[in-house]
Amino acid sequence: MVFSSLPFLFFFLPATLILYFAVPDKAKNAVLLVMSLLFYGYGEPIYILLMLASILLNYAAGRLLGVFDAHEKRRRAVLALCVAANLLLLGFFKYAGLFVSTVKLLPAFSFLPDPQIALPIGISFYTFQSMSYVIDTYRRNCAPQKNLITFGTYVALFPQLIAGPIVRYVDVEKQLQRRTHSWEKTTNGVRLFLFGLCKKVLLANALGAVWEQCKAAPGENTTLAAWVGIFAFTFQIFFDFSGYSDMAVGLGKIFGFEFVRNFNYPYTADSITDFWRRWHISLGTWFREYVYIPLGGNRKGRARQCLNIFIVWALTGIWHGASWNFLLWGLYFGVLLTVEKFGLLARLKKAPRALAHLYTLFFVVLGWVIFDFTSVGDMGAYFVSLFTAGNGLVSGDALALLMTHLPLLAVSALFSVPTARAAFGRLHGRRGWRFLEPVLGVAAFVLCVASLVSSTYNPFLYFRF
Amino acid sequence: MQKKKRARALPLCFFLMIAALTAAFFLLPKQSFAENEKRVLAEPPQWSWRALLDGSLTEQAQTYIADHFPLREAFVGLDSYAQQLFGRNGDSGVYRGKNGFLFAAQGEVSTRKTAENVRKIRDFAARNGLAATWMLVPCSGYTLGDCLPRFHKTYRDGEILDAAKDAAEGDTFLDVRDAFAVPDQTQLYYKTDHHLTSKGSLALYEAYCAAEGLQTQTFTLTQTSDGFYGTAYSKSGLWLTKPDTVELYTEDGGDYTVTITEGAQETTFSSLYFPEHLKDKDQYPVFLDGNHSVVKIVNNRCKNGKKLLILKDSFAHCFTTFLAANYETILMVDLRYCRTPLTATIAEEGIRDLLVLYGAENLATSTDIAWLALL
């Protein structure tokens, strides 16, 4: 189930809210756990079992780490086994298909059957969350969780289950035991949820339709159409992902949680290094805490640091999806970040701000081409149409595409920088805003619902009676 | 106290909206058919363990909720107008043009596929000894370029017509662009529908008669019907658009026997018009009862021995109500639905002439024409 859907908004959400606030504090986690499992099972009922297995595995590992408190060797073995098991689950369910289809390229292995494994939704997110728990328990950053329901709630918690943020156990350890609920939190939560819903439904979905048109025939776009398309995708992926994160954080607030912020206006970054401090922050944090620093980070000399950067970025890339273009995308940023680390960053600091922003945006936008084409041939064709005029510079169709989506792109740009949000912030203290805000909120919600309903409106024009 | 209340207004409004719509979903009576979408709406999900486990239960539930969502069409309309307000004219697949015109946007068309389809029909004609005449109707967006919004995707009907003309070399190819080139005030197309109006069809009929050396008959306007909302309207969601008027031109003293065949079932009627459809939103089926696989029209007053096979889509329906006056027998076949052999019938009836009448885009994209090889 996704948040931006009618079943979630009008059935799952009200049912969960009513149950959650009807039961006493003691039972609230249990309600969240059960509802989260239902939420997860809505799309793939069978994979509830996988989720339960993952919960049990990591719970047991945590308990064992507690039991073997005085035995360092045993603790290390438990950690190694548990991390290996988590990676194996992730590897099997997410990457088996990619692995087999790649091995099959060798003639000797071409007989292998394609594994038909549907990707369990959110597995990349909850596996990483569980691992953060086990690793931090091993490091004694947190105590083993003895209550299975509490732990299950942490892993399965539906707000961040499908698309993050990746909440580290240490960040919510206390909140899982005890959290407060207030109208103020709820108001902030609803506000953030609505904001995220609008980003996803009103902006990202519409931008996606523009990108689809340009992506369909990557070798046939005029230069203008290619740039309109990739900018549409640039905005789409930001509003889609950050919209989802906003909804997750908003829902979390309603249920008393405080999750970390996942996006901080990434397109306002003035270097690639800065961009990755602002984009999908929880993933970057995870890789820094559990891969980069354990590998030695920047403490073991330049050569080793380089290697560490490339390991982290290869993994970051492939984490985004089981396809080699994601690896390429990760390495692309690995190269850019290394170049920045060894000199460019210092120069960027002295360069005019506009130039630094332009440089960053240019490489980020081009990165999205690599990100969204799984076929290298299509990717290449799209790059060619971006930088040459082989199909012409402009066509009537390309101009129509641009002009009919210019307001959409303009609003997208406005909400990619802090200006719009700051303007809302200034209104908060004003008289009249307390009447205006609920009105605007409801209007925005109605527009989102209209768009969701409209997407299911499907005239069948040659129907026979 | 004041401050607390202030904090509650937004979430309370939000939760109330949800509660109201959810309650409405359960309380409001459910419709079984959506007239604008011309489709049957989803049934309530059928519970079974199997459906639960393979995920089809939740899929059914999702469709059911979407199909029966309260104020569904009002929401669709709101979204459509919001898109217009945002400058996204055409994103729904329909352009809002000038003078109340709605234009269906064009999908992907290829001239290669067009030529291929023309060849398939020519093969069929040759096999059955038929002399073919071609008429491809360009879409309203192509013909009425002046009424289109300033920014729109190019309509490629010109290319399709040229490609078809080349591929049909040797046959009579009646270029509808010439027939429609007359600069007058005639409204050739409906404003809310993709079809030709009766006047547009009449212009087509006159052009056909001129090309085939037929005597044009006289027709009188006998009935008009307001409130026709066509396919472009249904697709657009722009519910405030004004409806079209359907005009019925009839031949004085016309006497016809119309036999409609659907599979093994044959039904006979005594009129080219089916006025019961004038009560619907979509009134175009008033002509020959809309889409059917095979329709045979016998002109009881005409004994000139002229017989014609028409391979067509719905653009032919109104046109044929005029053309029927000139032929003793017309056999109208819709390849989207017809899967019964034609060769025997053509021989039995002694048909020697073929008219191919399609909307240009339909001919350019049709995958059903391939069936001709088997018919």
Side-chain angles (χ1 to χ4, degrees):
Chain A
M1 201 182 301
V2 292
F3 301 150
S4 53
S5 72
L6 302 174
F8 176 83
L9 290 169
F10 295 99
F11 296 87
F12 183 87
L13 184 61
T16 309
L17 283 169
I18 289 170
L19 275 173
Y20 182 83
F21 285 103
V23 300
D25 281 358
K26 266 188 186 169
K28 286 197 189 319
N29 280 348
V31 166
L32 277 183
L33 176 59
V34 170
M35 293 314 276
S36 295
L37 290 174
L38 287 178
F39 177 88
Y40 192 66
Y42 181 85
E44 301 270 4
I46 295 294
Y47 283 145
I48 291 187
L49 297 175
L50 180 66
M51 159 83 63
L52 289 173
S54 177
I55 291 172
L56 283 174
L57 166 79
N58 291 289
Y59 172 77
R63 291 302 299 270
L64 282 176
L65 287 171
V67 172
F68 297 143
D69 199 28
H71 303 81
E72 266 323 294
K73 267 192 183 162
R74 289 187 198 173
R75 293 184 87 235
R76 198 169 300 165
V78 168
L79 174 71
L81 277 174
C82 179
V83 168
N86 273 311
L87 290 178
L88 216 62
L89 278 182
L90 185 61
F92 179 75
F93 283 101
K94 189 168 178 181
Y95 298 105
L98 176 67
F99 179 74
V100 172
S101 66
T102 306
V103 170
K104 272 175 79 174
L105 294 177
L106 298 170
F109 292 101
S110 58
F111 64 90
L112 286 173
D114 278 316
Q116 305 280 332
I117 304 167
L119 179 72
I121 310 162
I123 188 170
S124 316
F125 289 95
Y126 68 75
T127 311
F128 270 39
Q129 294 207 154
S130 308
M131 278 159 62
S132 88
Y133 163 73
V134 179
I135 297 171
D136 278 325
T137 309
Y138 170 79
R139 291 176 177 171
R140 296 198 169 84
N141 289 339
C142 59
Q145 176 56 256
K146 291 190 176 135
N147 187 327
L148 183 58
I149 290 175
T150 308
F151 182 69
T153 307
Y154 161 66
V155 177
L157 199 58
F158 76 84
Q160 26 79 353
L161 179 59
I162 292 185
I166 299 168
V167 179
R168 292 163 66 208
Y169 181 78
V170 286
D171 290 335
V172 288
E173 188 184 5
K174 291 204 183 76
Q175 300 172 35
L176 282 164
Q177 325 283 12
R178 230 177 113 128
R179 54 188 179 270
T180 56
H181 308 88
S182 70
W183 277 105
E184 200 187 342
K185 266 189 179 179
T186 305
T187 304
N188 289 333
V190 168
R191 187 182 294 133
L192 205 51
F193 181 83
L194 281 174
F195 197 66
L197 189 68
C198 289
K199 277 178 165 180
K200 162 77 185 136
V201 175
L202 301 182
L203 296 178
N205 288 357
L207 291 158
V210 178
W211 171 233
E212 283 306 317
Q213 285 182 47
C214 302
K215 195 189 169 186
E220 290 170 22
N221 289 304
T222 58
T223 315
L224 177 66
W227 282 101
V228 171
I230 197 59
F231 265 98
F233 182 68
T234 299
F235 288 128
Q236 182 203 351
I237 191 159
F238 170 59
F239 289 122
D240 201 280
F241 202 171
S242 75
Y244 216 89
S245 280
D246 285 349
M247 287 188 270
V249 177
L251 286 170
K253 279 186 200 290
I254 298 173
F255 295 107
F257 289 95
E258 291 292 342
F259 298 144
V260 288
R261 186 176 192 186
N262 214 14
F263 290 86
N264 183 19
Y265 302 105
Y267 294 148
T268 63
D270 56 8
S271 66
I272 300 293
T273 310
D274 188 27
F275 173 77
W276 278 104
R277 285 191 197 118
R278 294 163 173 273
W279 180 276
H280 203 355
I281 299 165
S282 64
L283 181 72
T285 310
W286 197 96
F287 273 109
R288 195 184 64 237
E289 285 295 317
Y290 303 116
V291 182
Y292 185 69
I293 293 176
L295 282 173
N298 56 5
R299 291 158 296 156
K300 294 189 177 174
R302 283 204 157 184
R304 184 56 195 261
Q305 188 188 356
C306 259
L307 180 70
N308 291 344
I309 289 177
F310 274 93
I311 291 173
V312 165
W313 287 94
L315 291 175
T316 303
I318 203 73
W319 179 88
H320 283 82
S323 174
W324 294 123
N325 65 304
F326 291 112
L327 181 72
L328 194 65
W329 179 72
L331 292 174
Y332 167 85
F333 280 109
V335 171
L336 287 168
L337 290 165
T338 311
V339 171
E340 286 193 356
K341 207 136 265 174
F342 295 116
L344 185 62
L345 202 55
R347 288 189 190 187
L348 278 174
K349 290 257 181 286
K350 289 178 210 145
R353 288 304 76 201
L355 195 69
H357 287 297
L358 203 66
Y359 146 83
T360 309
L361 205 56
F362 180 75
F363 283 103
V364 168
V365 169
L366 290 192
W368 293 130
V369 180
I370 306 173
F371 185 88
D372 211 46
F373 282 106
T374 47
S375 136
V376 177
D378 289 347
M379 195 191 295
Y382 202 87
F383 274 121
V384 169
S385 63
L386 280 173
F387 293 107
T388 67
N391 300 315
L393 213 54
V394 187
S395 66
D397 286 7
L399 204 60
L401 187 70
L402 173 65
M403 295 312 285
T404 50
H405 297 98
L406 207 54
L408 180 67
L409 291 166
V411 170
S412 299
L414 192 66
F415 279 92
S416 298
V417 296
T419 319
R421 196 69 170 272
F424 280 122
R426 275 197 298 278
L427 286 172
H428 270 300
R430 298 283 178 83
R431 282 181 63 209
W433 179 242
R434 67 176 158 139
F435 298 109
L436 197 57
E437 190 189 25
V439 173
L440 283 178
V442 166
F445 183 56
V446 167
L447 276 181
C448 289
V449 173
S451 176
L452 289 174
V453 171
S454 180
S455 69
T456 70
Y457 177 77
N458 189 14
F460 191 55
L461 296 181
Y462 291 118
F463 191 82
R464 304 186 62 208
F465 294 87
Chain B
M1 193 61 204
Q2 190 66 24
K3 201 177 174 188
K4 254 187 194 166
K5 267 195 183 150
R6 186 183 310 171
R8 290 178 191 187
L10 179 68
L12 281 178
C13 289
F14 176 64
F15 295 142
L16 273 176
M17 272 297 294
I18 293 177
L21 283 168
T22 309
F25 174 81
F26 285 111
L27 296 177
L28 288 179
K30 308 280 184 286
Q31 281 180 318
S32 58
F33 185 79
E35 200 180 357
N36 264 325
E37 288 170 279
K38 293 188 186 157
R39 66 180 180 92
V40 176
L41 295 171
E43 299 277 324
Q46 294 290 312
W47 162 265
S48 76
W49 281 105
R50 203 190 152 140
L52 175 72
L53 290 179
D54 69 15
S56 65
L57 186 76
T58 51
E59 249 167 57
Q60 287 177 49
Q62 195 155 335
T63 318
Y64 184 71
I65 292 167
D67 275 5
H68 300 281
F69 200 78
L71 304 172
R72 181 155 183 273
E73 298 218 330
F75 277 122
V76 171
L78 178 64
D79 186 56
S80 299
Y81 281 99
Q83 285 192 15
Q84 289 287 328
L85 212 64
F86 228 59
R88 290 168 57 199
N89 195 359
D91 271 11
S92 63
V94 174
Y95 289 107
R96 179 155 77 154
K98 295 170 191 124
N99 306 330
F101 270 100
L102 299 176
F103 298 102
Q106 196 156 56
E108 284 301 311
V109 291
S110 97
T111 50
R112 199 181 47 78
K113 179 88 183 160
T114 306
E116 205 175 278
N117 278 337
V118 170
R119 270 195 300 278
K120 281 175 185 153
I121 294 178
R122 277 167 66 103
D123 289 348
F124 171 81
R127 225 175 28 248
N128 291 284
L130 300 169
T133 300
W134 296 78
M135 282 204 291
L136 301 184
V137 184
C139 67
S140 55
Y142 176 81
T143 308
L144 307 175
D146 294 348
C147 294
L148 276 169
R150 182 149 170 232
F151 296 105
H152 60 84
K153 266 184 86 174
T154 315
Y155 285 92
R156 296 178 55 201
D157 298 66
E159 293 167 50
I160 299 170
L161 259 62
D162 290 340
K165 201 173 191 171
D166 285 347
E169 209 184 334
D171 293 348
T172 311
F173 190 95
L174 213 152
D175 201 322
V176 177
R177 284 173 291 189
D178 302 335
F180 284 174
V182 275
D184 63 9
Q185 295 303 304
T186 312
Q187 189 190 326
L188 298 169
Y189 295 84
Y190 291 109
K191 293 187 171 185
T192 68
D193 195 70
H194 60 296
H195 291 112
L196 293 174
T197 58
S198 297
K199 287 203 180 81
S201 299
L202 197 54
L204 212 59
Y205 166 73
E206 282 161 3
Y208 180 83
C209 287
E212 299 288 313
L214 301 175
Q215 172 78 44
T216 51
Q217 305 296 306
T218 39
F219 299 89
T220 359
L221 178 62
T222 47
Q223 194 182 352
T224 59
S225 166
D226 298 329
F228 167 32
Y229 294 95
T231 51
Y233 173 85
S234 295
K235 206 171 176 192
S236 71
L238 300 168
W239 307 140
L240 304 178
T241 309
K242 286 204 185 80
D244 277 297
T245 302
V246 175
E247 296 176 327
L248 298 190
Y249 288 86
T250 51
E251 185 196 7
D252 296 335
D255 176 16
Y256 296 93
T257 306
V258 176
T259 311
I260 295 176
T261 311
E262 282 291 350
Q265 198 185 342
E266 275 188 13
T267 325
T268 304
F269 302 89
S270 59
S271 169
L272 302 170
Y273 309 96
F274 293 75
E276 67 269 25
H277 292 296
L278 296 177
K279 291 195 290 280
D280 299 339
K281 263 189 170 175
D282 182 4
Q283 301 182 1
Y284 189 72
V286 71
F287 305 107
L288 290 166
D289 201 38
N291 293 326
H292 288 291
S293 105
V294 178
V295 178
K296 184 176 165 186
I297 302 158
V298 176
N299 185 341
N300 298 320
R301 296 199 309 167
C302 176
K303 299 291 172 217
N304 62 5
K306 288 180 80 66
K307 295 180 173 189
L308 180 71
L309 171 68
I310 306 182
L311 292 180
K312 57 88 199 176
D313 59 18
S314 53
F315 277 91
H317 296 173
C318 180
F319 170 83
T320 306
T321 60
F322 295 114
L323 193 65
N326 291 71
Y327 283 86
E328 193 177 310
T329 305
I330 290 179
L331 195 66
M332 224 171 61
V333 172
D334 198 321
L335 292 171
R336 288 171 295 180
Y337 313 118
C338 178
R339 298 290 177 265
T340 48
L342 296 169
T343 303
T345 321
I346 292 169
E348 248 166 57
E349 297 279 352
I351 297 174
R352 311 304 303 267
D353 293 311
L354 166 68
L355 167 64
V356 185
L357 174 50
Y358 271 85
E361 189 178 341
N362 282 350
L363 183 91
T365 54
S366 166
T367 49
D368 300 309
I369 287 172
W371 282 97
L372 270 182
L374 303 174
L375 300 183

